[in-house]
Amino acid sequence: MWRRSASFILDKKQNDNVSNPEMSETLHHHQNPIPNPNPDISAYYQTRAAHHGVVTSDWLAQAQAAVGHQPEETVSVNYSGDSGKKFSVIDEFNNWRKQPDLAEAVAAIRALASVIRSSEATTMMELEIELKKASDSLKSWDKTSISLTAGCDLFMRYVTRTSALEYEDFNSAKSRLLERAEKFGEISYKARKIIAMLSQDFIFDGCTILVHGFSRVVFEVLKTAAQNRKNFRVLCTEGRPDRSGLRLSNELAKLDVPVKLLIDSAVAYSMDEVDMVFVGADGVVESGGVINMMGTYQIALVAKSMNKPVYVAAESYKFARLYPLDQKDMVPALRPIDFGVPIPSKVEVETSARDYTPPQYLTLLFTDLGVLTPSVVSDELIQLYL
């Protein structure tokens, strides 16, 4: 079970006290989300398998400076559709989620922006309640996804935190909400490029980097280094049981980056060749530790014992107000396990997809908010949720 922070508990109590019975019929379509098609497996890993075959004011300025005026790669959505069909935030979320390079949290942010755009609310109170119900529907669709929950919470904070809305007419206020929502989506979409830019000073010519599984943000870091003509080699773990590391090694080979594929149990054997470790994160928690793909913790333990730096690349929408105390203090995110041979029914199989790496085993976190030490994460979380 997750330990929630005191601020989270207080906020939840305040939000639960806000109710409007007249809105229940209007917002009924947000209260009954389409169920996860396979509840026994984390929807996050279902999406990865389908794709791969196996909040501050200066934040936007950082994003624009990092990516310049490059054309957007997002897919436009038509909202003029037919009036006979009710808008569904889950359907909208699933449409965005079909894009392989779009993170689940960003898909949720785009869907919540669409809620504002398609809303028929006539007061700010109705609109805010509608947004909250849509956010709750998205979070309940996959309760194991840390980034989905954190992204929805940050969206609600970023979009609705302004007292000026109370003094404007409704149409102006709604326009401002939509503007902030779209800006937040733009910032989140560009987060990987910012992280890739910030990490380049830490990758030096001739270095060897160990990576674990497939992380889109880590791949962006390595791709940017290759485009900058840096000479480095990568040791890539296989990433069992879904073998996501195979895809990363294939992508790096296409970039002509020297890469060696390792079985997961060869990490300690190969660590003396490594100059640094780069991993992604499913979530960054209040302690400064990270929740990530199973095996990250043991890699960090080995790296720490051999004085190798462990760098985490994670977007700030993965910052979650959670405080796990140990490995079992987590909501399990399950994924299918295939050992290639029949397993007797009496043999129990561990199907959890991720583990928790405490902050003392991490060196730095590369985020779109800057390069952070693990001890600074709690301060950044406070700023994000203020």
Side-chain angles (χ1 to χ4, degrees), residues 144-196:
T144 68
S145 176
I146 300 171
S147 63
L148 177 60
T149 297
C152 289
D153 289 343
L154 281 171
F155 176 91
M156 295 298 294
R157 286 286 187 176
Y158 185 82
V159 170
T160 62
R161 62 173 187 187
T162 170
S163 59
L165 294 178
E166 300 173 5
Y167 306 102
E168 299 176 356
D169 64 274
F170 175 71
N171 289 332
S172 298
K174 182 177 178 180
S175 296
R176 286 191 60 188
L177 275 181
L178 184 57
E179 178 184 351
R180 292 174 70 86
E182 292 177 341
K183 183 181 291 186
F184 187 79
E186 177 188 359
I187 292 167
S188 301
Y189 180 74
K190 294 178 177 178
R192 283 186 213 142
K193 294 181 180 179
I194 300 173
I195 294 169

Side-chain angles (χ1 to χ4, degrees), residues 3 57 94 121 164 166 223 229 248 281 294 298 327 336-337:
R3 265 57 175 183
S57 59
N94 283 326
E166 300 173 5
K223 182 172 73 171
R229 301 185 181 280
L248 180 58
M294 183 66 74
Q298 62 191 24
Q327 299 301 323
I337 308 292

Side-chain angles (χ1 to χ4, degrees), residues 134-337:
S135 174
D136 290 344
S137 295
L138 287 172
K139 290 189 288 187
S140 64
W141 190 84
D142 183 7
K143 296 180 180 179
T144 68
S145 176
I146 300 171
S147 63
L148 177 60
T149 297
C152 289
D153 289 343
L154 281 171
F155 176 91
M156 295 298 294
R157 286 286 187 176
Y158 185 82
V159 170
T160 62
R161 62 173 187 187
T162 170
S163 59
L165 294 178
E166 300 173 5
Y167 306 102
E168 299 176 356
D169 64 274
F170 175 71
N171 289 332
S172 298
K174 182 177 178 180
S175 296
R176 286 191 60 188
L177 275 181
L178 184 57
E179 178 184 351
R180 292 174 70 86
E182 292 177 341
K183 183 181 291 186
F184 187 79
E186 177 188 359
I187 292 167
S188 301
Y189 180 74
K190 294 178 177 178
R192 283 186 213 142
K193 294 181 180 179
I194 300 173
I195 294 169
M197 177 193 69
L198 293 174
S199 63
Q200 295 309 298
D201 289 341
F202 293 81
I203 299 176
F204 54 88
D205 281 334
C207 70
T208 298
I209 304 171
L210 175 66
V211 297
H212 181 49
F214 185 89
S215 163
R216 285 175 291 197
V217 66
V218 171
F219 175 65
E220 188 71 29
V221 168
L222 299 176
K223 182 172 73 171
T224 302
Q227 291 170 344
N228 290 338
R229 301 185 181 280
K230 293 195 175 186
N231 297 315
F232 62 96
R233 63 192 287 255
V234 177
L235 303 185
C236 183
T237 62
E238 182 186 9
R240 288 281 292 164
D242 59 12
R243 297 182 176 179
S244 57
L246 293 177
R247 178 171 185 259
L248 180 58
S249 63
N250 291 337
E251 295 294 334
L252 291 173
K254 294 176 184 177
L255 299 173
D256 293 325
V257 174
V259 58
K260 178 194 279 188
L261 193 61
L262 307 176
I263 58 174
D264 292 339
S265 54
V267 167
Y269 174 81
S270 304
M271 189 61 73
D272 59 347
E273 304 176 38
V274 173
D275 294 300
M276 66 191 74
V277 177
F278 256 102
V279 295
D282 288 356
V284 180
V285 298
E286 286 196 30
S287 64
V290 298
I291 314 278
N292 194 41
M293 179 180 181
M294 183 66 74
T296 303
Y297 181 35
Q298 62 191 24
I299 290 175
L301 283 170
V302 174
K304 179 75 171 180
S305 69
M306 300 181 71
N307 295 317
K308 309 290 185 178
V310 178
Y311 300 136
V312 178
E315 304 91 335
S316 60
Y317 55 72
K318 293 180 179 178
F319 282 33
R321 290 185 294 177
L322 301 170
Y323 205 105
L325 301 179
D326 54 37
Q327 299 301 323
K328 306 303 179 184
D329 193 23
M330 295 190 294
V331 176
L334 307 180
R335 63 180 174 187
I337 308 292

Side-chain angles (χ1 to χ4, degrees), residues 39-60:
D40 293 331
I41 302 174
S42 169
Y44 172 76
Y45 289 101
Q46 292 181 50
T47 304
R48 283 174 63 110
H51 286 163
H52 307 314
V54 279
V55 211
T56 55
S57 59
D58 61 335
W59 193 13
L60 179 62

